[in-house]
Amino acid sequence: MSKEKKQAELIKEISGVNPLKCMKCGKCSATCPAYNEMDIKPHQFVSYVANEDIETLVQSKSLWKCLSCFACVERCPRDVKPGKLIDAARQIVVRQKGQNYLKADEIPELLDPELPQQLLVSAFRRYRR
Amino acid sequence: MSIEAKEEFRPKIVAFCCNWCSYAGADLAGSSRLGYPADVKIIRVPCSCRVNPMFILRAFEKGADGVIMCGCHPGDCHYSTGNYYARRRMTLLFSMLDYIGVENGRTRVEWVSAAEGVKFSTTMNEFVEKIRSLGKNVRLEDLRCRK
Amino acid sequence: MQEVINRAKELLADGTVARVLGWKAGDLPYNPEPAYFESVESLEDFVYNGFCGANLSKYMIEASKLEGKTMVCLKPCDTYSFNQLIKEHRVDRDKAYIVGVGCKGKLDIEKIRKQGVKGIESIKGAEITDEADNLTIQTLYGEKTCSYADAMLERCHVCKGKEHKIYDEIIGESKDTKDADRFTEVARIEAMSPEEKFAFFQKELSKCIRCNACRNVCPACSCRKCVFDSNKFDSAQKANVDSFEEKMFHIIRAFHVAGRCTDCGECSRVCPQGIPLHLFNRKFIKDINEFYGDFQAGEDTEARGPLTDFTFDDVEPGIVGERG
Amino acid sequence: MQRIGVFVCHCGSNIAATVDVKKVAEMTLLEPGVVHAEDYQYMCSEAGQEKIIAAIKEKNLTGVVVCSCSPRMHETTFRKAAEKAGLNPYMVEIANIREHCSWIHKDMEEATEKAVILARAAIAKVNLNAPLKPGESRVTKRALIIGGGIAGIQTALDIADAGYEVDIVEKEPSIGGRMSQLDKTFPTLDCSACILTPKMVEASAHEKIHIHTYSEVEKVSGFVGDFTVDIRKKARYVDMDKCTGCGVCQEKCPSKKAASEFNRGLNTRSAIYTPFAQAIPNVPVIDTENCIKFKTGKCGVCSKVCQAGAIDYTQKDEIITEKYGAIVVATGFDTIKLDNYDEYAYNQSKDVITSLELERIMNAAGPTKGHLERLSDGKAPKEMVFVQCVGSRCSDDRGKPYCSKICCMYTAKHAMLIRDKYPDVNVTVFYIDVRTPGKNFDEFYRRAVEQYGVNYIKGQVGKVIPQPNGKLLVQGSDLLDNKQILKEADMVVLATAIEPNPGVRKIATMLTASIDTNNFLTEAHAKLRPVESPTAGIFLSGVCQGPKDIPETVAQAGAAAVKAIGLLAKDKLMTNPCTAQSDELLCNGCSTCANVCPYGAITYEERQVNDHGIRETRRLAVVNSALCQGCGACTVACPSGAMDLQGFSNRQILAEVDAICQ
């Protein structure tokens, strides 16, 4: 399997999304609050994964502009959930650096009661497998 | 160690297929040349609801190693509701067989439509594989019936 | 007991009923047997005590064919069977005058024997009116006592409640004797490995002598002719052997009563070999409850039985394997 | 003992290439009852059949086993051949050694062994076969149409024109259905009412058509050719015979606050009402929930003003029972509820409407008398946005997975009509795909774009946000420009998905007609029998079978009519002889079998029996063999084994099991 294919497969696995279900309606982009900040738009994320061009995706600005508000996940009529794909691509970047920043088992020890709840939830969302 | 070739285990498998969907699915598997082992022998019944638990137990008694029942998908029964009854009956029967210690994989229900030749063939291949891995049925066979 | 006898006499005397279906003393102090009483005088032999476990519902199938009404004594749990028989049109409600008799749990002589009590001459404390928590047993070897609860039938430990589900009148008080979960034993077996399960049932069922007592006493097994006695399935009964045949018989028997069995426990009570036959029926009941929602056969005379019913999204048979 | 002949077919090389047919014939001769065995090139050919006929005659065969292709292929052929030779056709069994053997196995030895076993099973079965005789049932020459929309009306007209009596049952107070709510129709833009009302009139005037409006099918029993149907005629509280349809009662009715169903709740109607002016029959009904007389006992204005004395508050629902030979389902559709689509603000703003609501707004008889205006403030809109695929093509559980098929075209129609009538209104359509397969359809859509300047944007709308200034902020995407669009609109029109009428599942259950997960009725064959239900005698007309537009609906309605006529033209039908039978000596009369019978074919009767000398009256199951379809559900439900299925008896199946497991 080529490196590109492997990465695309990984994204699909992490996100649990089948990009082929997309009917290219653009509702994700229509609804995205960070749309104008993005160079690659949410609906394009799906085709980048489908076309196995993960390299461009992880280099994009969009990767870090996505707010994970999940409006696209909520409204997607086809269960494609671009937000999850973006999340998965972010994980790939994180993993490429050679380590998982957080392992699920270590979390309880690292918990700080001062930590805001929202940060925790977002961390879980971002770093869980 | 003996050099004699160990005889390959050839299971006896009975498949009850409803006339309208699964039997036609088996026909489609045939006309599409989708093979499955010859160990499977099909008995045509009008509907999966015609399959009496007694038939299944009898097959085992007479030495079958596996019994599979196929019917129309729930909701597609030619007789509208037959397979819903069959589903309950088989669920309870299989649970009982499991309860008395019969290996769970020896019985199976699969819904196969007339269009699912591929599914029929894969199901049968899988099932035969499963029965081969379980080996000969010794827990239900009536030894007096062995020839 | 006297109250029941008095009432029976009245009903016989005023012609409300033509006969009374109850129990009369057996040849031993602990084996009263079902009996018909057709005259006021014959009622002298009537007994009703802790050993009257027999469920009289099934006798009403034949009694329904007789001229006139029959007064039948039903314990709370027996009324479930009676309801089920009404649902299946096997008994005629109008031919029965149901006296709901009080019950505080029925006794199992085997349980007493298992406590090492032998040579029983008489037993005190088994009378229905007795408030005693203990049985006093006169034996050849002296007096023994044993707690009433310890001597109860298995089914009474999982009592369905003290309520009569159908009756014309109730005589005497009943007590809910439930102190255990009825599925504990089934769950214990379910948790075994296939090998252990097989060994367990092989051992139990190999005791079966195909005497058909379980079938004959069962109020749900009310077929005019059992499939195991007919040539319809080439399944007529054969001799007792250590093979699949007993399993086939007991599985099919349990399957035929699945959804109809009220869990009255008569099968286990009468099995001369002491096979815990109720474990088959309870397994079906447990599965039915888990898969299709709680169902108690005989709760009423209307509800559709789980095997003659379905929902579009019932579990698939594959659940059996998935459950592990 | 039977005298069985075995006939092994080579099927050219289809069977003979992998199965040693000679050996199969040879081996079967060893089976009990087999007195003759032969093989031949093509058993199904004229010459092959002759061989079977000759053998039956020469050897006095009482049973025949043909080892050949699937019984689904040639069972009938061989049965007919046997019949020619004077043998009961049901004494023939097929061993499927082609589809189930030669075609799927490669190894000759293995395949031959299996073929022998399959033949052995068939022989074991034939040994227990008994001659069966198909019954006959009569055909009632009358059809029932459930639903009085365009589909039902067209089917009724076609059947009636062929000379058969037809009853239409419509649950609303008038026939007409959805089409009567439409303003114009694509792609010709002719007025819907102008083409529908003549058909409605024609149906009501037709001497062979009987219309039951405000009525519902209550109960269906029977089977193809002989259905018995109970129809509930709901109380109208207006005497159909006396009412002149003058409309004074509606005018004077003091209770005028009920939401008008016909106008999709956009305005109100009186408690006594006809849904619309051209209603057929033009007889109002009293809606008791809103009628003051029914609520408080006081009022009675309608009764006082009715010169014909047609108002009758004491009317009761009436059940009529009628027999039919064929039933056509034409229950149509409704639009889905939008409660799960908060993002489109349908429940928040009056100016977000469905397309069907727009039809009413555009209609001269509608709530705004045909003026395009905002329902919130009555102002004329300047910017209109149409959103396509609302709830269609959704794989989540909020919407429907299918394409509703009609939305692309009616949206083009709406856009065009608005641009035509109000050139100053800007119309924007957000679409995912524009689907226009159909005669003159794409041309129609292109006209909307090219001639009328409708702005089509490829991309879905993500959100509609009502603004404090009363406008609607539409957030959508333009996928071709790769832009996110924010647009202020005055009105937003949602092309809402259509779904089968919610009542259809109940009807399908009554008819034992199969229905899919989307509540569309299933065809007997998706391609070759598209207007028939798998349940014999039930036909499908219109959207109840799948989304379709008016021309398609009318075409299918005609097709369903032809199929129904084909049935009604017959005097008798042959029934399947493989039906259940109860052994009276074993029957407990417990009703378990009747509980699982999908056809209501089992009834009970008290009957005197002689059980080995015991004479008694017993409650016994009786199978109506004309109703029984032979599924066998009862045979397994029966605990005593009294119930058995002819042609697939317990002993026959067990014999097959034994032969296979031997």
Side-chain angles (χ1 to χ4, degrees):
Chain A
M1 208 190 283
S2 69
K3 186 183 168 233
E4 290 78 18
K5 193 170 172 67
K6 242 186 221 159
Q7 279 197 321
E9 288 303 318
L10 191 58
I11 287 201
K12 286 182 220 168
E13 193 200 318
I14 297 171
S15 61
V17 165
N18 173 10
L20 296 181
K21 285 194 76 184
C22 176
M23 63 169 170
K24 300 179 170 46
C25 70
K27 198 168 176 181
C28 44
S29 288
T31 210
C32 178
Y35 185 89
N36 291 330
E37 310 276 318
M38 291 188 172
D39 47 358
I40 294 178
K41 308 301 185 190
H43 69 274
Q44 292 172 292
F45 265 79
V46 184
S47 41
Y48 276 92
V49 176
N51 296 332
E52 294 170 5
D53 185 1
I54 310 301
E55 213 38 53
T56 318
L57 202 58
V58 295
Q59 298 300 337
S60 71
K61 272 203 297 188
S62 304
L63 201 61
W64 309 104
K65 292 293 178 191
C66 167
L67 304 168
S68 291
C69 74
F70 282 19
C72 52
V73 172
E74 190 60 34
R75 298 197 182 129
C76 173
R78 304 290 308 168
D79 247 1
V80 178
K81 305 169 180 167
K84 292 211 162 179
L85 288 177
I86 297 174
D87 228 25
R90 270 198 295 251
Q91 283 217 29
I92 285 210
V93 177
V94 171
R95 286 186 195 179
Q96 266 175 353
K97 290 181 182 159
Q99 51 187 306
N100 275 334
Y101 288 147
L102 272 182
K103 283 198 180 117
D105 310 339
E106 299 166 3
I107 293 171
E109 279 182 35
L110 297 170
L111 279 185
D112 179 348
E114 300 290 308
L115 221 56
Q117 283 286 314
Q118 193 154 5
L119 195 64
L120 269 181
V121 172
S122 122
F124 278 130
R125 189 191 281 159
R126 252 172 226 200
Y127 299 115
R128 75 166 172 200
R129 271 210 67 162
Chain B
M1 204 169 140
S2 150
I3 339 170
E4 269 176 78
K6 201 180 146 207
E7 205 185 321
E8 197 198 351
F9 168 50
R10 293 272 309 276
K12 283 179 190 163
I13 292 170
V14 179
F16 290 99
C17 291
C18 83
N19 183 43
W20 306 97
C21 290
S22 310
Y23 195 89
D27 281 358
L28 181 60
S31 48
S32 320
R33 309 298 197 274
L34 299 162
Y36 50 88
D39 308 328
V40 179
K41 315 282 189 308
I42 295 171
I43 294 180
R44 181 164 71 129
V45 286
C47 174
S48 51
C49 70
R50 178 66 187 91
V51 179
N52 196 309
M54 193 88 110
F55 300 165
I56 291 174
L57 296 183
R58 170 73 153 258
F60 283 125
E61 185 184 18
K62 296 277 168 154
D65 301 300
V67 179
I68 180 165
M69 187 191 86
C70 302
C72 309
H73 285 269
D76 292 348
C77 177
H78 178 80
Y79 306 100
S80 333
T81 52
N83 51 8
Y84 290 121
Y85 295 117
R87 181 161 66 179
R88 283 201 169 187
R89 290 167 184 162
M90 292 306 138
T91 307
L92 291 180
L93 177 70
F94 292 2
S95 179
M96 178 55 82
L97 289 175
D98 179 64
Y99 181 68
I100 66 159
V102 176
E103 306 90 334
N104 184 257
R106 291 204 188 275
T107 47
R108 179 164 169 182
V109 165
E110 201 61 60
W111 311 119
V112 179
S113 82
E116 292 174 329
V118 177
K119 182 174 181 188
F120 188 87
S121 161
T122 10
T123 302
M124 291 306 154
N125 278 306
E126 272 172 30
F127 190 60
V128 173
E129 210 33 64
K130 176 78 192 173
I131 300 301
R132 283 192 182 147
S133 72
L134 288 172
K136 181 117 198 71
N137 154 38
V138 287
R139 293 192 181 158
L140 293 176
E141 188 185 21
D142 189 335
L143 295 175
R144 292 167 303 170
C145 295
R146 193 182 268 183
K147 281 199 175 166
Chain C
M1 180 173 99
Q2 198 51 47
E3 225 183 316
V4 178
I5 296 175
N6 292 343
R7 185 64 183 132
K9 283 181 179 166
E10 274 171 38
L11 290 167
L12 272 176
D14 69 12
T16 311
V17 301
R19 68 198 68 74
V20 172
L21 180 48
W23 301 265
K24 69 173 185 196
D27 46 3
L28 295 166
Y30 46 78
N31 67 349
E33 56 199 44
Y36 285 114
F37 303 91
E38 298 196 332
S39 65
V40 172
E41 299 73 49
S42 63
L43 281 164
E44 295 308 318
D45 299 332
F46 186 99
V47 295
Y48 179 59
N49 60 35
F51 287 101
C52 292
N55 178 348
L56 301 179
S57 303
K58 192 176 185 181
Y59 292 84
M60 280 309 297
I61 296 176
E62 287 308 313
S64 294
K65 297 176 188 167
L66 302 174
E67 203 60 45
K69 274 196 176 194
T70 304
M71 168 183 146
V72 56
C73 302
L74 298 180
K75 303 183 292 295
C77 59
D78 302 340
T79 57
Y80 288 84
S81 308
F82 195 84
N83 262 347
Q84 186 63 27
L85 286 164
I86 293 180
K87 193 198 287 187
E88 293 166 11
H89 308 274
R90 299 294 279 133
V91 295
D92 188 344
R93 174 68 182 93
D94 298 336
K95 285 287 189 71
Y97 187 91
I98 302 172
V99 171
V101 290
C103 177
K104 57 167 191 172
K106 292 293 167 230
L107 297 164
D108 183 354
I109 190 64
E110 293 305 324
K111 287 259 179 83
I112 297 173
R113 284 190 179 130
K114 271 193 190 136
Q115 294 179 29
V117 182
K118 282 178 198 160
I120 298 166
E121 291 181 319
S122 72
I123 300 175
K124 276 198 194 106
E127 290 310 310
I128 207 72
T129 43
D130 287 342
E131 290 299 323
D133 288 333
N134 288 306
L135 297 170
T136 313
I137 306 159
Q138 207 58 51
T139 76
L140 293 171
Y141 315 102
E143 196 181 89
K144 308 249 165 137
T145 56
C146 117
S147 102
Y148 195 98
D150 288 347
M152 273 193 316
L153 285 162
E154 191 278 342
R155 72 177 187 214
C156 298
H157 290 287
V158 297
C159 177
K160 284 192 280 290
K162 59 180 181 182
E163 201 184 320
H164 287 83
K165 291 290 162 181
I166 186 168
Y167 57 87
D168 290 301
E169 64 180 280
I170 290 179
I171 298 176
E173 296 260 309
S174 294
K175 196 169 116 189
D176 186 341
T177 56
K178 183 174 192 291
D179 58 6
D181 180 65
R182 65 169 165 161
F183 296 126
T184 309
E185 185 65 4
V186 175
R188 190 181 69 80
I189 298 168
E190 283 173 342
M192 292 181 185
S193 71
E195 290 69 28
E196 288 167 342
K197 290 176 187 170
F198 186 72
F200 175 83
F201 282 105
Q202 182 78 357
K203 178 166 160 274
E204 290 296 340
L205 292 179
S206 61
K207 290 191 258 176
C208 176
I209 54 172
R210 286 297 289 277
C211 68
N212 287 334
C214 49
R215 186 182 86 183
N216 294 348
V217 78
C218 174
C221 262
S222 62
C223 289
R224 287 183 214 284
K225 190 168 191 179
C226 176
V227 282
F228 285 99
D229 290 347
S230 85
N231 59 1
K232 285 274 167 175
F233 289 85
D234 297 331
S235 56
Q237 54 180 321
K238 295 167 197 157
N240 156 43
V241 278
D242 185 13
S243 80
F244 177 56
E245 196 157 313
E246 284 67 48
K247 293 190 197 80
M248 172 107 146
F249 174 76
H250 289 291
I251 292 170
I252 292 293
R253 205 188 80 75
F255 191 86
H256 279 181
V257 300
R260 303 163 56 224
C261 167
T262 64
D263 201 7
C264 76
E266 286 284 272
C267 43
S268 296
R269 185 181 71 85
V270 301
C271 179
Q273 296 291 84
I275 305 172
L277 291 165
H278 63 278
L279 290 178
F280 282 95
N281 303 319
R282 292 242 178 104
K283 168 64 176 165
F284 277 136
I285 294 170
K286 182 168 181 275
D287 279 345
I288 286 168
N289 288 352
E290 275 172 23
F291 296 149
Y292 314 121
D294 285 354
F295 181 82
Q296 172 62 55
E299 183 81 46
D300 57 43
T301 57
E302 305 298 326
R304 243 177 131 92
L307 273 171
T308 56
D309 204 0
F310 62 85
T311 64
F312 295 125
D313 38 18
D314 280 341
V315 291
E316 292 293 334
I319 180 101
V320 176
E322 289 156 18
R323 248 185 345 187
Chain D
M1 194 61 155
Q2 307 272 22
R3 294 175 55 81
I4 298 167
V6 179
F7 301 86
V8 187
C9 179
H10 299 200
C11 196
S13 62
N14 277 310
I15 294 172
T18 22
V19 171
D20 182 345
V21 284
K22 298 254 184 260
K23 187 166 177 211
V24 174
E26 212 174 277
M27 293 293 285
T28 52
L29 267 177
L30 305 173
E31 292 298 312
V34 177
V35 295
H36 173 86
E38 64 178 304
D39 60 282
Y40 184 65
Q41 205 74 34
Y42 290 103
M43 269 305 162
C44 62
S45 69
E46 198 71 35
Q49 292 185 45
E50 282 306 323
K51 281 185 178 290
I52 297 176
I53 293 170
I56 293 173
K57 287 183 178 158
E58 278 163 28
K59 306 231 167 151
N60 288 322
L61 299 182
T62 60
V64 166
V65 168
V66 187
C67 303
S68 61
C69 55
S70 171
R72 297 169 58 84
M73 190 76 90
H74 277 308
E75 190 173 59
T76 326
T77 314
F78 295 125
R79 281 185 172 167
K80 278 190 179 147
E83 203 171 13
K84 264 191 209 160
L87 185 66
N88 182 284
Y90 293 91
M91 295 306 290
V92 176
E93 290 293 334
I94 311 289
N96 184 345
I97 61 166
R98 193 178 77 176
E99 282 86 345
H100 293 187
C101 188
S102 72
W103 275 354
I104 47 168
H105 305 313
K106 294 200 176 75
D107 182 75
M108 185 113 179
E109 200 185 323
E110 214 176 73
T112 308
E113 189 194 343
K114 178 169 173 180
V116 172
I117 294 174
L118 293 177
R120 204 184 274 155
I123 293 163
K125 189 178 179 194
V126 172
N127 259 313
L128 297 167
N129 274 20
L132 301 176
K133 203 171 167 287
E136 276 180 352
S137 67
R138 64 193 182 87
V139 177
T140 306
K141 310 229 168 222
R142 190 183 186 98
L144 171 68
I145 317 286
I146 306 175
I150 180 62
I153 293 171
Q154 185 62 46
T155 306
L157 285 170
D158 289 347
I159 297 176
D161 282 345
Y164 300 102
E165 301 287 331
V166 183
D167 288 0
I168 299 179
V169 171
E170 166 60 54
K171 71 177 186 322
E172 300 298 331
S174 167
I175 56 167
R178 289 283 161 252
M179 190 176 168
S180 64
Q181 290 176 300
L182 306 184
D183 182 40
K184 301 278 194 303
T185 54
F186 61 79
T188 47
L189 295 183
D190 40 2
C191 139
S192 183
C194 312
I195 53 178
L196 175 67
T197 37
K199 286 227 178 256
M200 290 164 61
V201 173
E202 193 187 341
S204 75
H206 203 297
E207 58 168 357
K208 295 219 175 271
I209 298 180
H210 316 274
I211 299 173
H212 303 290
T213 51
Y214 213 44
S215 301
E216 282 178 55
V217 172
E218 185 99 342
K219 194 176 144 217
V220 179
S221 58
F223 50 94
V224 54
D226 191 21
F227 294 104
T228 305
V229 181
D230 285 359
I231 299 163
R232 175 180 292 272
K233 297 194 73 148
K234 289 179 276 185
R236 285 182 108 94
Y237 305 106
V238 178
D239 189 321
M240 296 271 280
D241 298 326
K242 291 183 187 160
C243 176
T244 59
C246 68
V248 175
C249 52
Q250 304 184 48
E251 218 173 275
K252 301 286 184 206
C253 175
S255 167
K256 286 201 165 53
K257 285 188 186 139
S260 158
E261 295 84 358
F262 186 74
N263 283 326
R264 306 299 289 182
L266 299 180
N267 67 352
T268 57
R269 58 159 170 80
S270 45
I272 182 166
Y273 72 105
T274 49
F276 55 103
Q278 302 82 7
I280 285 181
N282 187 16
V283 176
V285 296
I286 295 179
D287 157 14
T288 53
E289 268 172 38
N290 289 292
C291 172
I292 298 168
K293 173 82 178 171
F294 276 93
K295 283 199 297 190
T296 67
K298 293 174 203 137
C299 184
V301 169
C302 49
S303 177
K304 282 173 211 139
V305 299
C306 180
Q307 303 218 319
I311 309 292
D312 175 5
Y313 300 118
T314 64
Q315 235 180 43
K316 292 266 173 315
D317 286 9
E318 187 193 342
I319 305 275
I320 54 171
T321 305
E322 192 68 67
K323 280 190 162 288
Y324 301 100
I327 297 178
V328 183
V329 188
T331 45
F333 70 98
D334 205 338
T335 53
I336 65 163
K337 292 226 163 22
L338 291 173
D339 299 344
N340 291 329
Y341 284 95
D342 272 348
E343 65 260 40
Y344 296 125
Y346 176 75
N347 290 331
Q348 296 153 43
S349 168
K350 280 181 147 190
D351 301 322
V352 180
I353 58 173
T354 68
S355 299
L356 195 51
E357 287 163 10
L358 182 65
E359 292 282 353
R360 294 314 306 147
I361 290 173
M362 302 282 282
N363 190 277
T368 60
K369 308 269 180 289
H371 297 297
L372 180 63
E373 58 190 47
R374 281 157 53 98
L375 295 173
S376 58
D377 52 16
K379 284 187 191 147
K382 290 284 166 252
E383 281 290 343
M384 287 197 70
V385 167
F386 286 80
V387 185
Q388 298 288 78
C389 298
V390 175
S392 298
R393 308 169 68 190
C394 287
S395 55
D396 55 17
D397 50 10
R398 299 197 296 168
K400 302 288 174 186
Y402 49 83
C403 165
S404 295
K405 199 171 183 181
I406 52 176
C407 323
C408 287
M409 286 302 289
Y410 70 59
T411 298
K413 172 189 77 179
H414 288 153
M416 204 185 283
L417 289 170
I418 291 171
R419 291 285 296 156
D420 187 50
K421 214 166 158 190
Y422 311 96
D424 58 330
V425 177
N426 289 321
V427 177
T428 308
V429 178
F430 282 91
Y431 72 96
I432 305 173
D433 301 288
V434 179
R435 296 180 165 174
T436 55
K439 193 169 158 184
N440 294 326
F441 281 15
D442 203 63
E443 295 91 321
F444 183 78
Y445 151 61
R446 290 313 306 166
R447 247 166 69 209
V449 177
E450 293 164 27
Q451 238 170 290
Y452 290 90
V454 178
N455 181 20
Y456 271 78
I457 296 177
K458 179 167 168 63
Q460 183 60 297
V461 168
K463 203 167 182 195
V464 176
I465 311 143
Q467 301 292 296
N469 64 0
K471 301 244 181 200
L472 299 160
L473 185 65
V474 178
Q475 195 183 20
S477 60
D478 183 336
L479 294 177
L480 298 181
D481 265 0
N482 216 6
K483 275 195 310 210
Q484 195 179 52
I485 290 178
L486 281 174
K487 195 173 187 68
E488 259 196 339
D490 299 303
M491 281 176 96
V492 172
V493 184
L494 307 176
T496 312
I498 61 172
E499 64 179 349
N501 212 304
V504 71
R505 190 161 271 278
K506 198 175 135 216
I507 289 172
T509 310
M510 281 193 270
L511 298 172
T512 68
S514 54
I515 192 161
D516 69 16
T517 49
N518 295 317
N519 280 356
F520 286 115
L521 287 162
T522 320
E523 324 71 53
H525 189 285
K527 280 153 289 206
L528 303 177
R529 295 171 70 195
V531 298
E532 293 158 82
S533 159
T535 305
I538 310 290
F539 305 95
L540 315 176
S541 177
V543 182
C544 68
Q545 177 263 339
K548 45 182 74 66
D549 59 24
I550 295 168
E552 270 185 320
T553 295
V554 172
Q556 200 204 20
V562 169
K563 289 289 173 189
I565 292 165
L567 167 61
L568 297 177
K570 288 183 184 139
D571 292 321
K572 275 177 185 164
L573 297 170
M574 295 291 247
T575 57
N576 168 22
C578 295
T579 53
Q581 255 192 351
S582 175
D583 182 330
E584 64 172 21
L585 294 186
L586 297 182
C587 177
N588 296 326
C590 68
S591 285
T592 311
C593 53
N595 281 334
V596 298
C597 178
Y599 305 100
I602 303 171
T603 49
Y604 288 85
E605 61 183 41
E606 299 278 337
R607 208 167 60 217
Q608 182 94 53
V609 293
N610 182 351
D611 187 351
H612 302 92
I614 304 166
R615 281 174 195 279
E616 57 184 12
T617 305
R618 288 182 182 172
R619 182 174 193 272
L620 298 169
V622 185
V623 180
N624 179 341
S625 57
L627 289 175
C628 175
Q629 301 290 305
C631 66
C634 54
T635 62
V636 183
C638 177
S640 67
M643 203 49 101
D644 210 346
L645 187 63
Q646 303 190 90
F648 290 96
S649 72
N650 291 323
R651 294 189 62 211
Q652 283 176 312
I653 297 174
L654 287 169
E656 289 182 83
V657 169
D658 292 355
I660 288 171
C661 297
Q662 205 175 69

